[in-house]
Amino acid sequence: MLAADTEPSRTIVRAAVRYLLDRLADTAPGRSVEVRIPPHAAVQCIAGPHHTRGTPPNVVEMDAPTWIALATGTLAWPEALAAGRIRASGSRADLSSHLPLTLD
């Protein structure tokens, strides 16, 4: 466990982002939305029409602290969106029904 005044290492943040994105892909399988957490990782998820080339029509992008907070339930989708912490485009780019994630 980290002390409240310390920052986790880049390796720990990358591992947490990757794990949580994998959980999202497991709980919402599909390829209609791409979720990007640069520079750590990206996944495709949510059932529906999918793209095959170029930038997908449904993209969600945010920084690692925002993603970790959303995935673990310490931040709600509407608040993050209103604060400009999420960039979402496309009709399927609302992840609120899939968050927070259940962690096993």
Side-chain angles (χ1 to χ4, degrees):
M1 180 163 207
L2 296 171
D5 62 345
T6 62
E7 290 290 320
S9 73
R10 185 175 170 95
T11 302
I12 290 171
V13 171
R14 183 177 30 248
V17 165
R18 182 80 243 168
Y19 172 77
L20 293 168
L21 283 174
D22 287 347
R23 290 293 303 142
L24 176 63
D26 288 345
T27 60
R31 293 179 25 201
S32 70
V33 178
E34 186 166 291
V35 180
R36 300 174 181 168
I37 315 301
H40 303 292
V43 296
Q44 291 183 355
C45 58
I46 311 208
H50 64 275
H51 72 285
T52 55
R53 294 168 38 157
T55 300
N58 299 290
V59 176
V60 176
E61 188 171 305
M62 67 196 81
D63 63 16
T66 300
W67 169 241
I68 293 168
L70 286 168
T72 59
T74 60
L75 178 64
W77 182 268
E79 287 80 21
L81 198 58
R85 295 178 65 181
I86 299 169
R87 291 168 301 286
S89 63
S91 61
R92 298 167 112 12
D94 182 347
L95 302 180
S96 61
S97 64
H98 303 285
L99 299 171
L101 298 169
T102 55
L103 306 175
D104 298 335

